[in-house]
């Protein structure tokens, strides 16, 4: 059966919002995978909900033909219907079992499933219902390379329409052949879009070229308008001088000859062509200024931080040999050095001990320098409260710069003015990062920094780490992020209850 998804002049806003999120949007989706990419709050998940029918547009129509399956971010458990597929060994389901690495016991040991196993079971349950349209919302959050591989293999086999919201550029680049970029000014205007028949990495490159072209065009138009303004000012001076020359008030009352010449000049309209030229130039200037303003409507807000510098370690950090333990599990760490300006990736499967090693590195580094920023994977309420208090105590000048940087990272300042329970994990990570770089730290440790972050913030963070030459150690399953930000890899391997760090 042919299937499709079509948005016909769709507008939508949430009840508690005075502004439209979408205004008169038109999209068509047919078979194949499309990545939906953009900053938090631009409406990616909302678009999925409109397709699924969980939300209804304020105007326009969302036309859907085919069965819809949705795989949300949050795992909600195995249902009674899911169990009906447990022992279904039909050809189609057997293939998805194989691709996703599904074992029978996964359905009966739900409480002990890892995050990756839960996501695989969740996706299998959706695929088992044989959807024509598959909607995925951040499916790779917290997944290691092994579990991402299972998902990728299964999704590549899906024959219908696939829409995926994700910030994982590596995953998207391997899966999708179309990308819709979501943009918002953060000023209450509706989200606007750029649609490319390209995987995400190429779409972002093309979008940047468009952005640079628009900036250049705006600059050229404004330069031409300014030049015309200068010419018009010169003409105004010339016209004023001519008017003064055509005035009779300075002539002697008996100077009939001089007055007669002025009258003759007025009668012949000697100065009229200059005024006509001025009016024509003024119209051209107005047209150029309007055209320049129309270009600015499509420009995206500036991203990146306003100013940042990092301190430099005076010498490398020697990490002593140690057996680090967590419950019954232990990881042997041989002695190694983190050299000045090293950019290190810590690799390994989930549960191997990467976070254990990162905490050990922090303990060692903290004895050598206080200039350490440790971006954690999860923050306690006490840590969130401390970060928000630190932000609130900044002087007005520094707070203004931090707020500006947060805005460029895709966050509204109001996100940090409320109580600690309402601050999202992604927002607190952004704030901790900006506060840290404002203090010129010399060592950055990061544990899954891209989790909960949107693509805008990830790209900015990438740029800072690449260009800042700060010593850093990063744990991440985001391969594109690691490729951009690190130069060497330390691997943590696990076998049973013992782990080994390979330098």
């Amino acid at each position: 059966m042919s299937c499709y998804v079509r948005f016909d002049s769709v507008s939508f806003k949430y009840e508690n919002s005075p502004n439209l999120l979408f205004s008169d949007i038109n999209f068509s989706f047919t078979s194949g995978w499309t990545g939906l990419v953009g900053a938090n709050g631009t409406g990616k998940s909302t678009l999925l909900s409109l397709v699924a029918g969980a939300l209804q547009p304020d105007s326009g129509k969302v036309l859907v033909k085919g069965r819809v399956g949705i795989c949300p971010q949050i795992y909600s458990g195995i249902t009674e219907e899911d169990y009906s597929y447990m022992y279904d060994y039909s050809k189609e389901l057997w293939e998805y079992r194989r691709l996703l690495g599904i074992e029978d016991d996964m359905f009966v040991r739900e409480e002990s499933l890892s995050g990756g196993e839960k996501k695989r079971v969740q996706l299998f349950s959706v695929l088992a219902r044989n959807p024509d349209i598959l909607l995925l919302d951040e499916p790779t959050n917290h997944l290691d390379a092994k579990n991402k591989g299972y998902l990728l293999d299964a999704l590549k086999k899906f024959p219908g329409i696939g829409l995926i919201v994700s910030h994982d550029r590596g995953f998207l680049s391997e899966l999708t052949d179309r990308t819709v970029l979501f943009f918002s000014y953060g000023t209450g205007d509706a989200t606007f879009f750029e649609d490319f028949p390209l995987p995400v990495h190429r779409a972002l490159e093309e979008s940047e070229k468009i952005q640079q072209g628009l900036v250049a065009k705006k600059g050229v138009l404004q330069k031409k308008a300014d030049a015309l303004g200068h010419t018009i000012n010169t003409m105004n001076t010339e016209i004023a001088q001519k008017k003064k020359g055509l005035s009779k008030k300075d002539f002697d009352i008996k100077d009939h000859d001089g007055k007669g010449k002025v009258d003759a000049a007025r009668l012949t309209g000697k100065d009229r062509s200059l005024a006509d030229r001025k009016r024509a130039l003024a119209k051209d200037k107005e047209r150029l200024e309007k055209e320049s303003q129309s270009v600015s409507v499509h420009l995206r807000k500036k991203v990146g931080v306003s100013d940042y510098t990092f301190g430099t370690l005076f010498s490398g950090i020697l990490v002593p040999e140690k057996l680090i333990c967590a419950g019954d599990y232990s990881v042997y760490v041989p002695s190694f050095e983190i050299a000045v300006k090293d950019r290190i990736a810590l690799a390994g499967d989930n549960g191997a001990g990467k976070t254990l090693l990162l905490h050990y590195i922090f303990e060692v580094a903290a004895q050598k320098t206080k200039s350490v920023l440790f971006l954690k994977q999860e923050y306690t309420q006490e840590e969130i409260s401390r970060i928000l208090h630190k932000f609130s105590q900044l002087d007005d000048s520094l707070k203004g710069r931090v707020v500006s940087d947060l805005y460029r990272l895709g966050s509204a300042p109001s996100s940090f003015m409320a109580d600690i329970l309402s601050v999202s994990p992604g927002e607190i990570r952004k704030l901790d990062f900006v506060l840290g770089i404002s203090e010129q730290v010399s060592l950055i440790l990061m544990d899954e920094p891209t989790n909960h972050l949107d693509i805008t913030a990830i790209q900015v963070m990438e740029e800072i780490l690449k260009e800042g030459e700060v010593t850093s150690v990063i744990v991440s399953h985001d391969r594109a992020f690691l490729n951009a930000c690190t130069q060497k890899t330390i691997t943590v391997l696990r076998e049973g209850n013992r782990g080994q760090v390979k330098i």
Side-chain angles (χ1 to χ4, degrees):
M1 179 185 77
S2 62
C3 54
Y4 59 77
V5 174
R6 190 165 71 239
F7 284 67
D8 284 349
S9 301
V10 170
S11 295
F12 175 83
K13 74 178 184 66
Y14 285 98
E15 287 185 6
N16 58 352
S17 173
N19 303 310
L20 286 172
L21 179 62
F22 300 143
S23 177
D24 196 32
I25 66 172
N26 294 277
F27 283 113
S28 291
F29 300 100
T30 53
S31 60
W33 280 100
T34 299
L36 309 180
V37 177
N40 292 337
T42 52
K44 304 183 300 295
S45 296
T46 300
L47 188 140
L48 294 187
S49 295
L50 287 166
V51 174
L55 295 174
Q56 297 299 319
D58 292 287
S59 63
K61 294 180 180 180
V62 180
L63 304 172
V64 178
K65 181 179 180 182
R67 295 180 299 275
V68 178
I70 184 165
C71 192
Q73 287 191 51
I74 306 301
Y75 174 79
S76 57
I78 298 172
T79 67
E80 289 187 12
E81 187 179 357
D82 293 332
Y83 282 109
S84 68
Y85 302 109
M86 187 187 336
Y87 299 111
D88 184 338
Y89 295 105
S90 62
K91 181 179 178 181
E92 293 79 6
L93 290 196
W94 177 256
E95 180 65 3
Y96 280 128
R97 280 174 177 273
R98 183 185 68 80
L99 293 170
L100 288 167
I102 299 297
E103 300 172 358
D104 288 345
D105 70 335
M106 287 183 175
F107 291 91
V108 295
R109 59 176 181 88
E110 184 176 10
E111 292 183 0
S112 66
L113 292 176
S114 68
E117 288 174 329
K118 287 179 179 178
K119 182 58 65 176
R120 285 151 54 193
V121 167
Q122 182 189 37
L123 181 56
F124 174 78
S125 297
V126 175
L127 291 171
R129 290 162 169 78
N130 195 28
D132 303 295
I133 301 158
L134 184 55
L135 312 177
L136 301 178
D137 197 353
E138 297 290 1
T140 64
N141 269 355
H142 307 288
L143 297 192
D144 57 21
K146 179 180 178 181
N147 282 294
K148 285 183 185 180
Y150 280 123
L151 263 62
L152 191 60
D153 289 344
L155 296 176
K156 283 182 176 180
K157 292 286 187 179
F158 179 69
I161 298 172
L163 301 180
I164 175 171
V165 172
S166 179
H167 64 258
D168 191 327
R169 289 158 297 165
F171 191 86
L172 287 175
S173 292
E174 291 194 60
L175 178 64
T176 64
D177 52 19
R178 177 184 174 188
T179 303
V180 177
L181 301 178
F182 289 55
F183 296 102
S184 173
Y185 292 113
T187 57
D189 294 326
T191 294
F192 64 97
F193 307 87
E194 292 176 358
D195 192 352
F196 299 96
L198 301 168
V200 65
H201 64 287
R202 292 179 56 198
L204 290 169
E205 291 172 359
E206 191 64 27
S207 177
E208 183 60 28
K209 289 179 184 177
I210 292 173
Q211 171 78 343
Q212 291 173 358
L214 289 171
V215 171
K217 180 179 179 181
K218 183 178 175 65
V220 168
L221 290 170
Q222 192 59 55
K223 187 176 180 179
K224 287 181 178 180
D226 291 343
L228 287 179
H230 178 73
T231 301
I232 290 169
N233 288 337
T234 301
M235 294 176 75
N236 282 334
T237 302
E238 188 176 349
I239 290 170
Q241 290 172 344
K242 284 183 175 291
K243 284 183 177 179
K244 184 177 180 181
L246 293 175
S247 173
K248 296 180 182 180
K249 69 178 182 178
D250 293 329
F251 286 94
D252 186 273
I253 193 169
K254 295 181 179 180
D255 188 355
H256 299 294
D257 186 52
K259 291 180 179 180
K261 289 179 180 179
V262 170
D263 288 336
R266 287 176 173 173
L267 288 171
T268 59
K270 189 175 180 180
D271 61 328
R272 190 174 302 152
S273 63
L274 186 62
D276 289 344
R277 282 183 58 211
K278 175 195 155 186
R279 281 193 290 271
L281 291 176
K283 286 184 179 179
D284 283 343
K285 179 175 180 289
E286 183 181 2
R287 175 183 58 78
L288 288 168
E289 287 176 338
K290 285 183 177 179
E291 192 174 348
S292 175
Q293 291 170 1
S294 72
V295 172
S296 69
V297 170
H298 303 287
L299 293 178
R300 302 188 290 279
K301 71 181 182 182
K302 184 178 179 182
V303 298
V305 295
S306 53
D307 182 33
Y308 60 89
T309 55
F310 292 106
T312 302
L313 294 172
F314 292 110
S315 63
I317 296 173
L318 179 65
V319 180
E321 176 185 18
K322 186 176 182 179
L323 186 68
I324 51 178
C325 301
D328 295 333
Y329 185 63
S330 61
V331 179
Y332 171 69
V333 182
S335 176
F336 68 96
E337 183 182 21
I338 300 172
V340 176
K341 295 186 179 180
D342 259 355
R343 292 188 288 159
I344 300 171
L346 297 186
D349 291 338
N350 284 349
K354 301 185 298 296
T355 297
L356 280 176
L357 176 57
L358 197 64
H359 277 274
Y360 176 49
I361 291 171
F362 174 71
E363 291 174 11
V364 173
Q367 297 173 14
K368 183 178 179 64
T369 176
K370 299 300 180 185
S371 183
V372 182
L373 170 62
F374 189 176
L375 287 185
K376 298 183 177 180
Q377 187 171 165
E378 304 292 343
Y379 290 83
T380 66
Q381 294 300 316
E382 182 180 350
E383 288 168 338
I384 294 172
S385 180
R386 174 182 56 77
I387 293 167
L388 292 175
H389 178 73
K390 183 178 180 180
F391 172 60
S392 70
Q393 297 302 303
L394 297 177
D395 62 63
D396 290 343
S397 175
L398 183 54
K399 182 178 287 187
R401 195 179 79 173
V402 168
V403 166
S404 176
D405 291 342
L406 288 169
Y407 175 73
R408 291 171 182 171
L409 279 161
S411 295
S414 58
S415 303
F416 308 98
M417 305 301 183
D419 64 274
I420 62 174
L421 295 177
S422 64
V423 182
S424 72
E427 300 303 295
I428 202 66
R429 185 173 286 120
K430 291 179 190 177
L431 179 57
D432 196 13
F433 179 69
V434 171
L435 289 174
I437 64 176
S438 71
E439 296 177 342
Q440 299 186 349
V441 294
S442 57
L443 174 64
I444 295 181
L445 307 178
M446 294 181 162
D447 194 359
E448 296 293 354
T450 65
N451 280 354
H452 307 295
L453 293 190
D454 57 63
I455 199 139
T456 299
I458 292 171
Q459 286 182 297
V460 173
M461 192 177 286
E462 242 177 45
E463 180 183 347
I464 292 170
L465 293 174
K466 282 192 298 184
E467 298 183 2
E469 296 186 334
V470 62
T471 308
S472 55
V473 183
I474 303 172
V475 173
S476 179
H477 295 306
D478 188 331
R479 178 46 56 186
F481 185 79
L482 289 180
N483 288 343
C485 299
T486 62
Q487 297 170 318
K488 61 171 66 174
T489 300
I490 293 175
T491 304
V492 185
L493 303 174
R494 176 168 186 165
E495 187 173 341
N497 287 333
R498 302 296 296 268
Q500 170 78 38
V501 173
K502 297 290 185 180
I503 307 300

